[in-house]
Amino acid sequence: MTISKNDPIHTRPIELLQNLIRFDTTNPPGNEIDCVNYIHRLLTDAGVDTWIFAKDPNRPNLVARLPGQGTAPPLLLYGHVDVVTTEGQDWTHPPFGGEIHDGYIWGRGTLDMKSGAAMMLAAVLRAKASGLTPTGDVVLAILCDEEAGGVYGAMYMVDEHPDHFEGIKYALGEFGGASFYIAGTTFYPIQVVEKQICWMKGTIRGPGGHGSRPMRGGAMAKLGRVLQRLDKSRLPVHITPAARQMFEIVSSSLPLVPGFVLRQLLNPVLTDSVLNLMGEHKLNFEPLFHNTVNATIVKGGEKINVIPSTIVFEMDGRLLPGYTPDDMIAELSPILGDEVELEVILYDPGPSEPDMGLFNILADVLLEADPAGIALPMMLPAVTDARLFSRLGIQTYGFTPMKLPEDFKFFDLAHAADERLPVEVMDFGTNAVYSVLQRYVG
Ligand SMILES: [Zn+2]
């Protein structure tokens, strides 16, 4: 069957993604309005009920609802249409062109996450067109401002319009369902839990003075020592239930030797030694077993001829699910030493344990789409809007399915230059999301 320009847009998810890419929704400032209006028009033209909510008129959020049979709770699908900046990046093809070259759709948002939003939108439009009545209502939320914390997007919706999400237990969101390869085996990690933000500030003091007089052991020197210690240290190992579940499945799905090696990650005495052997996967796995800290901002000194008596540095700390800022301080203080006054400046709590009730349906859908693949519950080291919806008791599953080539590095390309997606992925993902709507039984 060939698809022509006259066929409805939900049968052409590639073109739908190209259209979304062409709206420059770089956040800040976002300006998601034209993109959201375009989606709004597609939904209203198809006869789907919609609502628009905006904290800032240029930054609307859209909610659409497809009625179900009412025998199951509503199922939420949500995606954000803002993207991160392309400034200072060297792109082979224009980042807002949505052009197709060499089998890829190129552009900002092809991975994070206009592709996912397009899959969800196409699946909902398809359900409407084919008269599908799932057991529960399907609620589609198209959000702004995820990339800058969700203040105008998910946070605003959860705080000000929770009634539209009443009764929802499960949601499909971002970061999950993209293929990932270990020792030749294909895995589809589905995000079920996230780490938590714990941002901190360290203050270091020392004698100030005139820049013409040599200063030894001042605040600058202390900062140097502190950053060196931070660079050489890891916080203690923790085996959370989510990591255990994830690596038990991975290790039992691999051939004997790599499976045995990976399983040792779950032995806290060996975790760090095994991580050091992991090559390219070390960076992916290390944050799943540790609370982590990166120093990201240093503020000290105003004038070139004045030795500063105070230096403040900020740290991006990330806590494992179930851990608190007190745990972070207890683990970090011995590394920083008593030269640093440590303070938590922002803690953004997330849920500690996932509700796995929808997981098997999603795993079945992926297995049907790719019989060689193994679905896997995953902890995301970063955060998404999932933490905000969790405040309403909603469990999010990262589910924007993508069958990607083995050498395709999703996390190297998201937010980076030349972000791109193999064209055939759009049909793969849209079909999988639609399949969930067909199978959803609450
Ligand atoms: Zn995203």
Side-chain angles (χ1 to χ4, degrees):
M1 187 182 83
T2 48
I3 291 175
S4 86
K5 279 272 177 201
N6 297 324
D7 289 317
I9 190 80
H10 67 262
T11 62
R12 295 177 279 138
I14 296 167
E15 200 178 314
L16 185 54
L17 172 58
Q18 289 178 287
N19 291 346
L20 296 188
I21 299 295
R22 290 172 188 144
F23 296 102
D24 179 349
T25 52
T26 302
N27 182 13
N31 280 332
E32 296 90 345
I33 183 164
D34 291 342
C35 186
V36 172
N37 282 347
Y38 166 72
I39 294 171
H40 193 195
R41 207 166 52 242
L42 296 179
L43 287 161
T44 48
D45 285 355
V48 179
D49 293 333
T50 55
W51 296 262
I52 293 281
F53 303 99
K55 186 182 168 84
D56 169 336
N58 280 319
R59 312 198 62 186
N61 301 281
L62 177 151
V63 176
R65 187 176 276 255
L66 202 66
Q69 298 163 27
T71 54
L75 176 69
L76 173 63
L77 277 53
Y78 66 87
H80 65 89
V81 290
D82 62 316
V83 295
V84 295
T85 187
T86 53
E87 218 177 273
Q89 297 177 354
D90 195 11
W91 284 70
T92 309
H93 300 289
F96 300 102
E99 295 176 11
I100 294 179
H101 301 277
D102 313 318
Y104 291 94
I105 310 168
W106 296 69
R108 176 57 86 232
T110 47
L111 297 174
D112 183 8
M113 68 161 290
K114 283 176 170 168
S115 50
M119 289 171 192
M120 292 170 183
L121 174 62
V124 167
L125 289 170
R126 184 163 150 196
K128 176 68 181 175
S130 59
L132 176 73
T133 312
T135 48
D137 291 0
V138 174
V139 177
L140 172 69
I142 297 294
L143 303 165
C144 66
D145 199 31
E146 191 272 346
E147 298 290 1
V151 173
Y152 294 87
M155 194 178 293
Y156 166 70
M157 294 303 292
V158 164
D159 288 347
E160 303 297 328
H161 300 285
D163 42 311
H164 278 265
F165 307 103
E166 212 169 280
I168 295 176
K169 280 178 73 182
Y170 300 127
L172 306 185
E174 70 179 318
F175 287 119
S179 60
F180 180 86
Y181 301 83
I182 306 174
T185 303
T186 313
F187 294 97
Y188 286 89
I190 297 172
Q191 188 215 139
V192 295
V193 70
E194 301 181 340
K195 288 182 80 176
Q196 315 169 81
I197 286 175
C198 178
W199 288 342
M200 291 163 290
K201 182 173 105 174
T203 305
I204 297 178
R205 299 181 204 280
H210 197 284
S212 64
R213 286 159 55 88
M215 167 65 70
R216 310 274 169 214
M220 281 287 180
K222 291 181 188 173
L223 173 72
R225 288 197 294 267
V226 166
L227 295 181
Q228 287 287 339
R229 284 200 297 275
L230 201 54
D231 185 49
K232 291 186 168 60
S233 311
R234 271 182 184 141
L235 302 186
V237 172
H238 301 289
I239 313 293
T240 57
R244 179 170 297 283
Q245 200 170 23
M246 181 174 171
F247 284 91
E248 274 174 356
I249 296 179
V250 172
S251 58
S252 60
S253 311
L254 290 177
L256 203 62
V257 174
F260 177 80
V261 173
L262 258 146
R263 205 178 171 80
Q264 306 316 306
L265 282 170
L266 297 174
N267 177 351
V269 180
L270 296 177
T271 306
D272 281 343
S273 315
V274 178
L275 282 175
N276 291 337
L277 301 172
M278 298 272 0
E280 56 159 340
H281 290 308
K282 179 173 144 184
L283 261 184
N284 296 322
F285 293 163
E286 181 172 339
L288 308 184
F289 295 98
H290 295 272
N291 299 321
T292 61
V293 179
N294 276 305
T296 48
I297 297 175
V298 173
K299 295 174 191 158
E302 299 276 332
K303 286 201 78 206
I304 199 164
N305 60 351
V306 177
I307 296 166
S309 53
T310 305
I311 295 174
V312 172
F313 65 108
E314 294 180 21
M315 290 162 283
D316 183 350
R318 305 293 176 127
L319 283 162
L320 290 162
Y323 287 78
T324 65
D326 286 344
D327 298 314
M328 177 65 91
I329 288 174
E331 294 181 358
L332 186 58
S333 297
I335 296 169
L336 298 184
D338 48 18
E339 291 172 327
V340 180
E341 296 158 31
L342 181 60
E343 191 188 330
V344 173
I345 52 178
L346 179 87
Y347 170 51
D348 193 350
S352 55
E353 279 303 309
D355 169 346
M356 297 294 286
L358 194 66
F359 185 83
N360 286 344
I361 288 181
L362 304 182
D364 287 349
V365 165
L366 286 170
L367 186 66
E368 196 176 276
D370 181 358
I374 296 161
L376 189 71
M378 172 181 75
M379 181 199 307
L380 188 76
V383 300
T384 68
D385 284 337
R387 76 195 191 287
L388 301 169
F389 283 105
S390 78
R391 295 178 190 171
L392 299 178
I394 297 171
Q395 166 71 49
T396 296
Y397 296 84
F399 196 78
T400 57
M402 301 179 180
K403 186 179 182 182
L404 300 167
E406 191 161 348
D407 59 357
F408 187 90
K409 300 282 176 268
F410 184 104
F411 284 101
D412 291 352
L413 288 171
H415 290 207
D418 287 347
E419 184 177 350
R420 61 191 184 274
L421 184 75
V423 284
E424 64 276 9
V425 164
M426 284 308 297
D427 282 320
F428 180 88
T430 303
N431 289 341
V433 173
Y434 183 71
S435 207
V436 175
L437 303 188
Q438 286 178 306
R439 290 173 192 225
Y440 175 65
V441 287

